[in-house]
Amino acid sequence: MHPTILPAGDSAFVFQLGTEVSSGINDRIIALAEAIAAAAPEGLIELVPTYRSLMVCYDPVRVRGRDLAAQ
């Protein structure tokens, strides 16, 4: 399963794992959200996990979305 990163406006992107709802994917999303929160990257505003994706909201004045996604 390859992750997909989709833009969500000018200050967010969605990191998507798969197309189905499963506890395994959800466990990976929760772990990813916890890892990102622990790293506290510059410009991060909010993380919104769902069953199969993670929305990453950021301050576009402080960080470029593609730079944050690459981290």
Side-chain angles (χ1 to χ4, degrees):
M1 150 182 15
H2 295 287
T4 304
I5 298 176
L6 306 166
D10 62 352
S11 61
F13 60 86
V14 175
F15 183 88
Q16 183 175 301
L17 284 178
T19 57
E20 62 187 56
V21 173
S22 79
S23 60
I25 291 174
N26 186 248
D27 290 344
R28 291 177 65 192
I29 290 295
I30 297 300
L32 176 63
E34 289 172 352
I36 293 171
E42 174 76 20
L44 179 67
I45 295 174
E46 182 179 17
L47 298 169
V48 183
T50 70
Y51 283 104
R52 61 186 183 97
S53 64
L54 177 65
M55 178 176 277
V56 178
C57 303
Y58 60 90
D59 180 349
V61 173
R62 295 174 62 197
V63 65
R64 293 173 59 177
R66 70 175 142 204
D67 294 339
L68 185 58
Q71 291 181 35

